[in-house]
Amino acid sequence: MISPFPTLTPVSPRGLVQCAVVPNPGAAQCAAPAVWHIAWHLTPGSADFSLVCDAHMEAVQQLFVYVDRHPAETACDMPGTGWLVAEPSRCVLAPTADAGTREGHAP
């Protein structure tokens, strides 16, 4: 009998975030597993970030200046996260204006 269910494949418990480096104009994105999350600048409202693999992190360290970095996690690539400047830094869920409110309930 053929199973109607798809074959399950193992998933990393941390999830999978991918390197977003495009090595040359018109080339495909690297897409190797990201190991580092880089903050280029942390100006509120216009911060810039990148997810990179180990090989591209070596190039970044040789060629560019960045503000901070930490190991990449699934949360780093999720909408609504913010950069916690701490020792060590990390990505955290950023509060929103409606955080803590539910329909029909005041905070």
Side-chain angles (χ1 to χ4, degrees):
M1 177 177 182
I2 298 174
S3 173
F5 300 105
T7 303
L8 299 178
T9 55
V11 176
S12 167
R14 286 182 43 189
L16 178 63
V17 289
Q18 296 178 320
C19 180
V21 172
V22 176
N24 300 306
Q29 177 178 315
C30 172
V35 178
W36 296 102
H37 192 203
I38 301 169
W40 297 105
H41 59 88
L42 292 169
T43 307
S46 66
D48 282 321
F49 307 101
S50 295
L51 290 162
V52 299
C53 62
D54 268 333
H56 286 114
M57 187 68 223
E58 287 182 32
V60 165
Q61 289 178 309
Q62 292 173 7
L63 301 171
F64 303 103
V65 175
Y66 54 89
V67 174
D68 198 2
R69 73 174 181 163
H70 61 251
E73 299 178 349
T74 304
C76 298
D77 201 26
M78 299 285 291
T81 57
W83 192 283
L84 178 64
V85 178
E87 193 56 46
S89 63
R90 63 188 183 277
C91 287
V92 296
L93 182 61
T96 61
D98 61 344
T101 62
R102 289 181 285 159
E103 195 171 305
H105 294 86

